[in-house]
Amino acid sequence: MDPLPAHGAGPVGTWLLRDLPETIETATASLDPQDGDRMEPDGVMVDGTGGVDEEIRSSLSAVPCAVQDARWLTPDQQIRLVAVASLITGAARLLAEDPGTAITTGELSRM
């Protein structure tokens, strides 16, 4: 993929060019198969996060809306940004729901 053009002025452009790559890097480094869905000793179910905290998940979920405001990106670049954000979010959810299967069947590596 060609690098994103640097002329995307404004808050959306700054977020896409600087903050989003850092968020994706942090999310990828944070993936944790130990942070799965679980039951607490008191019987309360807790949704695991796959190692990705709420702030990062929230940022990744904003990508589809943000790229709509980035008219300086080509449609291909917009789709790729949405795909990457979706894959990272999906990898974390996959690890949270079923880490053993995700790892042993290669689902995680395919993502």
Side-chain angles (χ1 to χ4, degrees):
M1 177 166 97
D2 295 331
L4 297 178
H7 69 279
V12 171
T14 300
W15 184 76
L16 287 171
L17 293 170
R18 185 184 60 215
D19 300 335
L20 182 59
E22 290 174 12
T23 299
I24 290 170
E25 214 171 295
T26 300
T28 303
S30 300
L31 291 174
D32 181 4
Q34 300 298 323
D35 190 4
D37 297 344
R38 63 192 175 281
M39 185 176 293
E40 293 291 318
D42 60 0
V44 174
M45 283 299 298
V46 176
D47 287 336
T49 65
V52 178
D53 69 30
E54 179 58 36
E55 183 180 346
I56 291 173
R57 286 193 318 269
S58 178
S59 289
L60 293 173
S61 70
V63 172
C65 297
V67 297
Q68 291 178 25
D69 292 334
R71 299 191 193 289
W72 45 272
L73 292 174
T74 67
D76 185 59
Q77 290 169 324
Q78 291 178 354
I79 290 168
R80 288 173 188 245
L81 285 171
V82 171
V84 168
S86 177
L87 284 172
I88 299 297
T89 303
R93 196 67 240 143
L94 191 60
L95 284 175
E97 292 174 358
D98 193 3
T101 301
I103 292 168
T104 60
T105 62
E107 289 178 59
L108 185 61
S109 62
R110 285 194 307 270
M111 290 186 107

XYZ file of all heavy atoms in Angstrom:
810
model
N 0.848 -1.169 0.000
C 0.000 0.000 0.000
C 0.892 1.229 0.000
O 1.869 1.307 0.733
C -0.899 -0.021 1.240
C -1.770 1.213 1.350
S -3.104 1.069 2.550
C -2.382 1.866 3.945
N 0.526 2.190 -0.806
C 1.254 3.452 -0.828
C 1.081 4.152 0.514
O 0.040 4.026 1.155
C 0.707 4.364 -1.931
C 0.956 3.784 -3.311
O 1.946 3.053 -3.471
O 0.151 4.055 -4.216
N 2.100 4.914 0.933
C 1.945 5.649 2.182
C 0.813 6.660 2.053
O 0.517 7.149 0.959
C 3.288 6.342 2.376
C 4.013 6.220 1.084
C 3.369 5.140 0.290
N 0.192 6.948 3.181
C -0.891 7.926 3.166
C -0.328 9.298 2.848
O 0.745 9.661 3.315
C -1.595 7.956 4.529
C -2.286 6.676 4.956
C -2.885 6.847 6.351
C -3.360 6.271 3.975
N -1.040 10.078 2.053
C -0.552 11.414 1.731
C -0.497 12.284 2.971
O -1.369 12.214 3.830
C -1.593 11.943 0.732
C -2.765 11.044 0.830
C -2.309 9.760 1.422
N 0.526 13.095 3.067
C 0.742 13.913 4.261
C -0.054 15.208 4.238
O -0.015 15.962 5.196
C 2.226 14.219 4.409
N -0.785 15.467 3.187
C -1.486 16.737 3.106
C -2.868 16.713 3.750
O -3.641 17.633 3.582
C -1.599 17.196 1.646
C -2.512 16.337 0.826
N -2.105 15.149 0.295
C -3.813 16.486 0.474
C -3.112 14.599 -0.376
N -4.151 15.400 -0.279
N -3.192 15.686 4.493
C -4.494 15.587 5.144
C -4.571 16.482 6.358
O -4.468 16.031 7.489
N -4.737 17.749 6.128
C -4.771 18.713 7.220
C -6.013 18.521 8.078
O -7.000 17.948 7.654
C -4.734 20.127 6.654
N -5.931 19.026 9.265
C -7.064 18.990 10.174
C -6.957 17.854 11.160
O -6.070 17.010 11.085
N -7.894 17.851 12.101
C -7.855 16.839 13.165
C -7.963 15.401 12.651
O -7.286 14.515 13.146
C -9.037 17.181 14.053
C -9.542 18.497 13.612
C -8.966 18.799 12.272
N -8.810 15.166 11.649
C -8.963 13.808 11.128
C -7.669 13.348 10.470
O -7.206 12.231 10.699
C -10.145 13.715 10.135
C -10.159 12.363 9.433
C -11.457 13.935 10.865
N -7.072 14.223 9.675
C -5.812 13.871 9.018
C -4.717 13.587 10.011
O -3.970 12.614 9.875
N -4.608 14.414 11.030
C -3.598 14.206 12.074
C -3.843 12.888 12.793
O -2.912 12.115 13.039
C -3.616 15.371 13.082
O -3.340 16.575 12.366
C -2.597 15.179 14.185
N -5.097 12.622 13.100
C -5.428 11.377 13.801
C -5.087 10.170 12.940
O -4.481 9.207 13.425
C -6.913 11.370 14.173
C -7.305 10.183 14.982
C -7.053 9.972 16.305
C -7.992 9.026 14.523
N -7.554 8.744 16.684
C -8.130 8.151 15.616
C -8.509 8.650 13.286
C -8.765 6.925 15.522
C -9.148 7.422 13.183
C -9.275 6.569 14.300
N -5.453 10.212 11.657
C -5.181 9.070 10.774
C -3.687 8.866 10.535
O -3.217 7.738 10.444
C -5.888 9.252 9.432
C -7.398 9.066 9.436
C -7.981 9.500 8.102
C -7.770 7.635 9.748
N -2.943 9.949 10.422
C -1.521 9.849 10.082
C -0.626 9.587 11.282
O 0.427 8.965 11.151
C -1.063 11.124 9.382
C -1.676 11.361 8.001
C -1.337 12.759 7.503
C -1.200 10.316 7.019
N -1.006 10.072 12.455
C -0.121 9.946 13.604
C -0.698 9.028 14.681
O -0.048 8.085 15.117
C 0.173 11.320 14.194
C 1.194 11.250 15.323
C 1.438 12.580 15.988
N 0.187 13.079 16.551
C -0.145 14.364 16.581
N 0.660 15.267 16.088
N -1.288 14.752 17.103
N -1.904 9.306 15.098
C -2.464 8.586 16.238
C -2.920 7.169 15.895
O -2.700 6.239 16.671
C -3.634 9.368 16.837
C -3.214 10.741 17.335
O -2.020 10.923 17.654
O -4.070 11.645 17.392
N -3.566 6.994 14.744
C -4.055 5.662 14.387
C -2.929 4.643 14.244
O -3.047 3.536 14.780
C -4.920 5.719 13.127
C -5.511 4.377 12.698
C -6.390 3.787 13.798
C -6.293 4.536 11.405
N -1.833 4.955 13.562
C -0.749 3.959 13.506
C -0.226 3.565 14.887
O 0.055 2.393 15.138
C 0.335 4.655 12.682
C -0.402 5.648 11.851
C -1.549 6.113 12.714
N -0.137 4.530 15.789
C 0.306 4.221 17.157
C -0.713 3.334 17.861
O -0.349 2.400 18.580
C 0.527 5.509 17.942
C 1.728 6.310 17.481
C 1.847 7.656 18.186
O 1.138 7.889 19.186
O 2.656 8.480 17.723
N -1.992 3.617 17.645
C -3.051 2.806 18.250
C -3.001 1.374 17.735
O -3.107 0.418 18.510
C -4.436 3.431 17.950
O -4.482 4.733 18.527
C -5.562 2.590 18.501
N -2.811 1.215 16.431
C -2.738 -0.122 15.844
C -1.516 -0.875 16.368
O -1.596 -2.054 16.706
C -2.739 -0.035 14.304
C -4.123 0.402 13.820
C -2.327 -1.362 13.669
C -4.198 0.750 12.357
N -0.404 -0.176 16.471
C 0.810 -0.798 16.999
C 0.614 -1.234 18.448
O 0.982 -2.352 18.836
C 1.968 0.207 16.905
C 3.288 -0.439 16.617
C 4.348 0.599 16.322
O 4.241 1.311 15.310
O 5.281 0.684 17.136
N 0.017 -0.369 19.251
C -0.242 -0.692 20.657
C -1.194 -1.874 20.765
O -0.966 -2.792 21.562
C -0.824 0.527 21.394
O 0.114 1.600 21.320
C -1.136 0.211 22.846
N -2.252 -1.868 19.971
C -3.221 -2.962 20.007
C -2.575 -4.279 19.624
O -2.788 -5.303 20.282
C -4.394 -2.653 19.077
N -1.788 -4.268 18.571
C -1.126 -5.490 18.116
C -0.174 -6.022 19.179
O -0.132 -7.225 19.438
C -0.369 -5.221 16.796
O -1.295 -4.715 15.840
C 0.252 -6.479 16.247
N 0.574 -5.128 19.806
C 1.520 -5.540 20.850
C 0.807 -6.004 22.115
O 1.380 -6.739 22.918
C 2.467 -4.387 21.168
N -0.441 -5.574 22.288
C -1.179 -5.886 23.507
C -1.961 -7.191 23.439
O -2.475 -7.653 24.456
C -2.175 -4.759 23.823
O -1.514 -3.547 24.007
N -2.109 -7.769 22.249
C -2.911 -8.982 22.121
C -2.452 -10.027 23.138
O -1.265 -10.304 23.262
C -2.811 -9.540 20.697
C -3.480 -8.711 19.611
C -3.173 -9.305 18.240
C -4.973 -8.606 19.839
N -3.425 -10.581 23.865
C -3.092 -11.481 24.963
C -4.116 -12.606 25.052
O -5.273 -12.378 25.433
C -3.074 -10.698 26.274
C -2.710 -11.536 27.474
O -2.391 -12.741 27.317
O -2.748 -10.992 28.584
N -3.718 -13.841 24.725
C -4.655 -14.957 24.804
C -5.074 -15.292 26.232
O -6.052 -15.996 26.443
C -3.895 -16.120 24.163
C -2.473 -15.719 24.143
C -2.424 -14.227 24.198
N -4.364 -14.759 27.217
C -4.728 -15.002 28.612
C -5.905 -14.131 29.054
O -6.500 -14.378 30.100
C -3.521 -14.729 29.525
C -2.325 -15.599 29.238
C -2.611 -17.068 29.443
O -3.327 -17.467 30.350
N -2.070 -17.895 28.562
N -6.229 -13.089 28.286
C -7.304 -12.167 28.653
C -8.585 -12.565 27.931
O -9.111 -11.849 27.092
C -6.906 -10.727 28.302
C -7.877 -9.699 28.868
O -8.819 -10.099 29.602
O -7.700 -8.515 28.578
N -9.083 -13.746 28.294
C -10.280 -14.265 27.651
C -11.521 -14.094 28.499
O -11.454 -13.653 29.652
N -12.657 -14.442 27.923
C -13.906 -14.433 28.673
C -13.754 -15.409 29.830
O -13.157 -16.477 29.695
C -15.065 -14.872 27.785
C -15.317 -13.931 26.617
O -14.809 -12.793 26.643
O -16.027 -14.332 25.678
N -14.303 -15.027 30.972
C -14.119 -15.875 32.148
C -15.230 -15.648 33.163
O -15.952 -14.670 33.089
C -12.770 -15.592 32.791
C -12.658 -14.167 33.314
C -11.232 -13.775 33.685
N -11.136 -12.395 34.060
C -11.102 -11.356 33.236
N -11.195 -11.547 31.934
N -11.011 -10.117 33.676
N -15.285 -16.554 34.117
C -16.220 -16.410 35.213
C -15.421 -16.088 36.477
O -14.452 -16.782 36.795
C -17.037 -17.675 35.425
C -18.108 -17.509 36.490
S -19.164 -18.944 36.678
C -20.010 -18.951 35.120
N -15.823 -15.043 37.148
C -15.188 -14.652 38.400
C -15.585 -15.640 39.499
O -16.583 -16.360 39.359
C -15.612 -13.229 38.789
C -15.103 -12.158 37.842
C -13.589 -11.986 37.932
O -13.029 -11.991 39.030
O -12.967 -11.850 36.860
N -14.817 -15.681 40.586
C -15.152 -16.612 41.673
C -16.571 -16.437 42.218
O -17.169 -17.394 42.691
C -14.114 -16.285 42.750
C -12.968 -15.689 42.007
C -13.573 -14.977 40.838
N -17.118 -15.223 42.115
C -18.481 -14.985 42.613
C -19.559 -15.347 41.586
O -20.736 -15.103 41.788
C -18.657 -13.540 43.056
C -18.411 -12.529 41.947
O -18.092 -12.944 40.814
O -18.526 -11.325 42.223
N -19.138 -15.939 40.449
C -20.073 -16.401 39.444
C -20.441 -15.378 38.380
O -21.255 -15.659 37.509
N -19.838 -14.207 38.421
C -20.130 -13.167 37.440
C -19.281 -13.402 36.190
O -18.072 -13.586 36.290
C -19.843 -11.752 38.029
C -20.016 -10.679 36.970
C -20.730 -11.493 39.222
N -19.942 -13.385 35.025
C -19.211 -13.529 33.759
C -18.553 -12.195 33.402
O -19.163 -11.141 33.511
C -20.151 -13.934 32.630
C -20.536 -15.399 32.643
S -19.138 -16.527 32.473
C -18.497 -16.107 30.879
N -17.302 -12.281 32.976
C -16.553 -11.095 32.567
C -16.099 -11.313 31.127
O -15.508 -12.333 30.809
C -15.316 -10.891 33.479
C -14.482 -9.716 32.992
C -15.741 -10.711 34.925
N -16.424 -10.352 30.279
C -15.969 -10.426 28.893
C -14.486 -10.095 28.847
O -14.070 -9.047 29.338
C -16.719 -9.433 28.002
C -18.143 -9.855 27.737
O -18.422 -11.062 27.824
O -18.972 -8.973 27.435
N -13.705 -10.982 28.270
C -12.292 -10.703 28.080
C -12.110 -9.683 26.972
O -13.037 -9.405 26.193
N -10.938 -9.150 26.895
C -10.664 -8.137 25.871
C -9.588 -8.585 24.900
O -9.252 -7.844 23.978
C -10.215 -6.819 26.518
O -8.971 -7.026 27.176
C -11.258 -6.287 27.476
N -9.030 -9.757 25.105
C -7.941 -10.199 24.238
C -6.706 -9.343 24.395
O -5.814 -9.362 23.562
N -6.658 -8.552 25.484
C -5.507 -7.702 25.767
C -5.646 -6.272 25.284
O -4.801 -5.435 25.564
N -6.708 -5.972 24.561
C -6.883 -4.628 24.003
C -7.885 -3.864 24.862
O -9.046 -4.261 24.977
C -7.357 -4.702 22.533
C -7.583 -3.319 21.960
C -6.337 -5.458 21.701
N -7.434 -2.764 25.456
C -8.304 -2.030 26.378
C -9.399 -1.245 25.659
O -9.399 -1.096 24.445
C -7.491 -1.127 27.306
C -6.825 0.043 26.615
O -7.353 0.548 25.607
O -5.768 0.486 27.101
N -10.327 -0.739 26.437
C -11.502 -0.060 25.899
C -11.143 1.181 25.082
O -11.752 1.448 24.041
C -12.452 0.333 27.035
C -13.693 1.071 26.572
C -14.538 0.294 25.566
O -14.645 -0.932 25.679
O -15.088 0.934 24.641
N -10.163 1.931 25.510
C -9.768 3.139 24.774
C -9.288 2.796 23.362
O -9.654 3.445 22.388
C -8.683 3.883 25.545
C -8.261 5.181 24.887
C -7.187 5.912 25.674
O -6.933 5.578 26.844
O -6.588 6.825 25.092
N -8.483 1.759 23.270
C -7.981 1.347 21.955
C -9.109 0.792 21.099
O -9.223 1.114 19.918
C -6.832 0.333 22.108
C -5.611 1.024 22.703
C -6.483 -0.309 20.772
C -4.485 0.102 23.061
N -9.969 -0.042 21.690
C -11.110 -0.579 20.928
C -11.997 0.550 20.425
O -12.479 0.519 19.289
C -11.910 -1.563 21.784
C -11.225 -2.893 21.973
C -12.141 -3.972 22.536
N -13.032 -3.559 23.591
C -12.766 -3.615 24.890
N -11.596 -4.072 25.301
N -13.636 -3.224 25.787
N -12.195 1.567 21.249
C -13.012 2.709 20.851
C -12.372 3.463 19.682
O -13.062 3.857 18.731
C -13.204 3.640 22.049
O -13.939 4.762 21.689
N -11.069 3.651 19.753
C -10.366 4.326 18.650
C -10.479 3.537 17.356
O -10.730 4.104 16.287
C -8.885 4.517 18.991
O -8.733 5.480 19.989
N -10.301 2.227 17.435
C -10.385 1.398 16.234
C -11.797 1.393 15.653
O -11.971 1.372 14.437
C -9.921 -0.028 16.534
C -8.439 -0.176 16.876
C -8.139 -1.599 17.328
C -7.563 0.218 15.704
N -12.796 1.454 16.534
C -14.173 1.456 16.024
C -14.537 2.771 15.354
O -15.508 2.843 14.596
C -15.159 1.137 17.152
O -15.231 2.211 18.065
N -13.758 3.825 15.591
C -14.023 5.131 14.970
C -13.467 5.242 13.552
O -13.803 6.181 12.825
C -13.427 6.236 15.839
N -12.638 4.293 13.150
C -11.984 4.379 11.842
C -12.982 4.484 10.685
O -12.817 5.348 9.823
C -10.991 3.210 11.631
C -10.458 3.181 10.212
C -9.851 3.325 12.622
N -14.038 3.655 10.619
C -14.959 3.789 9.482
C -15.573 5.188 9.359
O -15.764 5.683 8.250
C -16.040 2.737 9.762
C -15.356 1.725 10.615
C -14.392 2.512 11.463
N -15.857 5.815 10.473
C -16.405 7.178 10.432
C -15.331 8.186 10.035
O -15.597 9.107 9.262
C -16.976 7.554 11.796
S -18.356 6.510 12.281
N -14.130 8.014 10.555
C -13.053 8.974 10.281
C -12.656 8.977 8.811
O -12.427 10.042 8.239
C -11.835 8.667 11.151
N -12.592 7.805 8.198
C -12.153 7.778 6.802
C -13.174 8.434 5.876
O -12.816 8.931 4.816
C -11.785 6.360 6.291
C -10.615 5.783 7.052
C -12.974 5.435 6.299
N -14.435 8.470 6.281
C -15.448 9.146 5.474
C -15.160 10.646 5.389
O -15.510 11.292 4.404
C -16.837 8.929 6.062
C -17.313 7.511 5.941
C -18.663 7.314 6.578
O -19.451 8.240 6.708
N -18.943 6.093 6.982
N -14.535 11.196 6.433
C -14.190 12.616 6.449
C -12.834 12.888 5.812
O -12.423 14.033 5.705
C -14.186 13.139 7.890
C -15.573 13.159 8.497
O -16.552 13.255 7.719
O -15.688 13.069 9.734
N -12.132 11.850 5.433
C -10.799 12.002 4.839
C -10.911 11.862 3.326
O -10.432 10.911 2.724
C -9.844 10.965 5.419
N -11.530 12.831 2.712
C -11.766 12.778 1.263
C -10.473 12.832 0.459
O -10.463 12.534 -0.723
C -12.706 13.903 0.855
C -14.058 13.804 1.538
C -15.064 14.753 0.946
N -16.258 14.903 1.749
C -17.201 13.998 1.912
N -17.080 12.836 1.330
N -18.255 14.230 2.652
N -9.365 13.192 1.079
C -8.062 13.230 0.422
C -7.450 11.840 0.295
O -6.468 11.656 -0.406
C -7.115 14.179 1.159
C -7.150 14.017 2.647
C -7.995 14.656 3.507
C -6.340 13.179 3.450
N -7.760 14.251 4.807
C -6.736 13.345 4.797
C -5.310 12.286 3.170
C -6.146 12.671 5.852
C -4.712 11.617 4.226
C -5.132 11.808 5.542
N -8.060 10.838 0.961
C -7.615 9.449 0.792
C -8.344 8.842 -0.398
O -9.517 9.139 -0.639
C -7.933 8.623 2.037
C -7.167 8.950 3.307
C -7.718 8.121 4.464
C -5.687 8.693 3.129
N -7.667 7.978 -1.109
C -8.337 7.259 -2.187
C -9.290 6.233 -1.564
O -9.101 5.829 -0.402
C -7.320 6.521 -3.081
O -6.711 5.467 -2.319
C -6.265 7.466 -3.638
N -10.289 5.798 -2.309
C -11.173 4.752 -1.773
C -10.403 3.506 -1.345
O -10.732 2.888 -0.325
C -12.120 4.454 -2.946
C -12.167 5.737 -3.706
C -10.766 6.300 -3.602
N -9.373 3.141 -2.086
C -8.557 1.979 -1.727
C -7.885 2.180 -0.369
O -7.858 1.271 0.466
C -7.518 1.732 -2.814
C -6.718 0.468 -2.561
O -7.335 -0.612 -2.484
O -5.483 0.570 -2.443
N -7.345 3.359 -0.126
C -6.696 3.649 1.155
C -7.717 3.622 2.288
O -7.435 3.107 3.371
C -5.990 5.001 1.104
C -4.764 5.000 0.223
C -4.218 6.389 -0.026
O -4.970 7.368 -0.145
N -2.895 6.492 -0.115
N -8.902 4.158 2.036
C -9.951 4.138 3.059
C -10.327 2.704 3.423
O -10.416 2.358 4.602
C -11.181 4.903 2.575
C -10.962 6.395 2.455
C -12.174 7.122 1.921
O -13.176 6.507 1.526
N -12.105 8.434 1.902
N -10.523 1.884 2.405
C -10.904 0.490 2.647
C -9.808 -0.245 3.412
O -10.078 -1.020 4.328
C -11.225 -0.219 1.314
C -12.531 0.330 0.751
C -11.294 -1.729 1.483
C -12.816 -0.066 -0.668
N -8.567 -0.004 3.059
C -7.458 -0.682 3.745
C -7.372 -0.267 5.216
O -7.106 -1.104 6.083
C -6.145 -0.410 3.031
C -6.037 -1.145 1.713
C -4.803 -0.724 0.955
N -4.792 -1.281 -0.374
C -3.882 -2.159 -0.791
N -2.923 -2.552 -0.004
N -3.946 -2.628 -2.023
N -7.588 1.005 5.502
C -7.562 1.447 6.897
C -8.681 0.790 7.700
O -8.463 0.326 8.821
C -7.681 2.969 6.977
C -6.432 3.748 6.609
C -6.741 5.235 6.519
C -5.321 3.499 7.623
N -9.864 0.734 7.114
C -10.989 0.082 7.791
C -10.699 -1.408 7.980
O -10.963 -1.974 9.041
C -12.307 0.301 7.016
C -13.432 -0.545 7.595
C -12.686 1.780 7.038
N -10.117 -2.048 6.985
C -9.808 -3.478 7.077
C -8.797 -3.756 8.185
O -8.974 -4.698 8.972
C -9.286 -3.991 5.740
N -7.760 -2.947 8.273
C -6.741 -3.158 9.308
C -7.360 -2.981 10.695
O -7.154 -3.806 11.593
C -5.537 -2.216 9.114
C -4.633 -2.225 10.328
C -4.758 -2.625 7.875
N -8.132 -1.925 10.875
C -8.774 -1.697 12.174
C -9.712 -2.847 12.527
O -9.745 -3.315 13.668
C -9.530 -0.372 12.159
N -10.441 -3.336 11.537
C -11.357 -4.445 11.759
C -10.611 -5.738 12.110
O -11.033 -6.490 12.993
C -12.206 -4.656 10.503
O -13.059 -5.751 10.659
N -9.513 -5.995 11.427
C -8.735 -7.205 11.711
C -8.147 -7.185 13.117
O -8.151 -8.204 13.810
C -7.626 -7.370 10.680
C -8.078 -7.860 9.319
C -6.940 -7.795 8.315
C -8.629 -9.276 9.412
N -7.642 -6.038 13.542
C -7.079 -5.948 14.898
C -8.174 -6.160 15.929
O -8.013 -6.906 16.895
C -6.383 -4.586 15.120
C -5.231 -4.392 14.143
C -5.908 -4.447 16.560
C -4.106 -5.373 14.282
N -9.316 -5.516 15.727
C -10.446 -5.681 16.648
C -10.903 -7.140 16.658
O -11.172 -7.709 17.718
C -11.610 -4.757 16.229
O -11.133 -3.411 16.206
C -12.775 -4.857 17.182
N -10.976 -7.741 15.472
C -11.389 -9.139 15.372
C -10.405 -10.089 16.026
O -10.808 -11.071 16.651
N -9.128 -9.812 15.897
C -8.110 -10.672 16.521
C -8.253 -10.643 18.041
O -8.180 -11.685 18.704
C -6.713 -10.226 16.105
N -8.469 -9.467 18.589
C -8.641 -9.359 20.047
C -9.889 -10.106 20.498
O -9.870 -10.836 21.490
C -8.723 -7.889 20.451
N -10.986 -9.964 19.746
C -12.234 -10.648 20.101
C -12.057 -12.160 19.985
O -12.535 -12.929 20.810
C -13.345 -10.156 19.178
C -14.734 -10.441 19.620
C -15.097 -9.675 20.888
N -15.432 -10.645 21.911
C -15.142 -10.534 23.197
N -14.529 -9.487 23.658
N -15.463 -11.448 24.058
N -11.373 -12.600 18.955
C -11.111 -14.016 18.745
C -10.318 -14.597 19.922
O -10.638 -15.672 20.429
C -10.341 -14.203 17.436
C -10.178 -15.592 16.868
C -11.533 -16.220 16.568
C -9.355 -15.526 15.593
N -9.300 -13.869 20.356
C -8.509 -14.319 21.503
C -9.342 -14.334 22.782
O -9.191 -15.219 23.621
C -7.279 -13.432 21.693
C -6.139 -13.676 20.724
C -5.032 -12.653 20.941
C -5.586 -15.082 20.857
N -10.208 -13.351 22.946
C -11.030 -13.288 24.147
C -12.038 -14.429 24.197
O -12.306 -14.983 25.260
C -11.755 -11.939 24.220
N -12.579 -14.792 23.046
C -13.636 -15.801 23.025
C -13.124 -17.229 22.981
O -13.714 -18.116 23.588
C -14.568 -15.545 21.834
C -15.362 -14.270 22.003
C -16.188 -13.922 20.780
O -16.127 -14.647 19.763
O -16.882 -12.899 20.838
N -12.038 -17.476 22.252
C -11.568 -18.853 22.110
C -10.090 -18.875 21.708
O -9.753 -19.211 20.567
C -12.416 -19.566 21.058
C -12.206 -21.075 21.067
O -11.441 -21.572 21.921
O -12.801 -21.747 20.211
N -9.199 -18.536 22.639
C -7.780 -18.425 22.278
C -7.167 -19.735 21.804
O -6.384 -19.743 20.862
C -7.118 -17.926 23.551
C -8.053 -18.279 24.645
C -9.430 -18.253 24.042
N -7.516 -20.829 22.432
C -6.921 -22.113 22.053
C -7.203 -22.462 20.608
O -6.298 -22.789 19.836
N -8.451 -22.376 20.225
C -8.835 -22.690 18.845
C -8.223 -21.681 17.880
O -7.723 -22.056 16.817
C -10.369 -22.696 18.705
O -10.898 -23.673 19.594
C -10.788 -23.027 17.289
N -8.262 -20.400 18.250
C -7.733 -19.354 17.361
C -6.260 -19.585 17.049
O -5.814 -19.383 15.924
C -7.913 -17.981 18.010
N -5.529 -20.037 18.038
C -4.081 -20.235 17.858
C -3.794 -21.567 17.153
O -3.031 -21.609 16.192
C -3.366 -20.142 19.211
C -3.453 -18.692 19.741
C -1.905 -20.572 19.085
C -3.041 -18.529 21.181
N -4.422 -22.638 17.613
C -4.083 -23.962 17.075
C -4.600 -24.189 15.658
O -4.003 -24.955 14.904
C -4.579 -25.098 17.982
O -6.014 -24.996 18.105
C -3.930 -25.044 19.345
N -5.697 -23.547 15.281
C -6.227 -23.748 13.931
C -5.688 -22.741 12.933
O -5.995 -22.813 11.747
C -7.764 -23.658 13.915
O -8.148 -22.357 14.326
C -8.386 -24.719 14.799
N -4.911 -21.776 13.404
C -4.313 -20.786 12.502
C -5.212 -19.595 12.203
O -4.868 -18.757 11.389
N -6.379 -19.509 12.873
C -7.268 -18.382 12.625
C -6.587 -17.050 12.939
O -6.723 -16.091 12.197
C -8.547 -18.504 13.457
C -9.479 -19.604 13.004
C -10.693 -19.686 13.899
O -11.416 -18.701 14.016
O -10.888 -20.767 14.488
N -5.874 -17.015 14.038
C -5.219 -15.782 14.442
C -4.138 -15.384 13.453
O -4.034 -14.225 13.041
C -4.634 -15.915 15.843
C -4.036 -14.652 16.430
C -5.084 -13.541 16.554
C -3.422 -14.940 17.786
N -3.328 -16.340 13.018
C -2.256 -16.004 12.086
C -2.809 -15.585 10.724
O -2.216 -14.753 10.049
C -1.292 -17.169 11.932
O -1.946 -18.302 11.407
N -3.957 -16.107 10.326
C -4.557 -15.678 9.065
C -5.056 -14.240 9.143
O -5.062 -13.536 8.150
C -5.715 -16.614 8.678
C -5.221 -17.947 8.145
C -6.331 -18.727 7.460
N -7.527 -18.910 8.271
C -7.747 -19.927 9.099
N -6.828 -20.865 9.238
N -8.853 -20.020 9.784
N -5.475 -13.831 10.316
C -5.916 -12.434 10.473
C -4.725 -11.527 10.330
O -4.774 -10.477 9.802
C -6.583 -12.208 11.821
C -7.940 -12.883 11.922
S -8.753 -12.440 13.433
C -9.992 -11.335 12.793
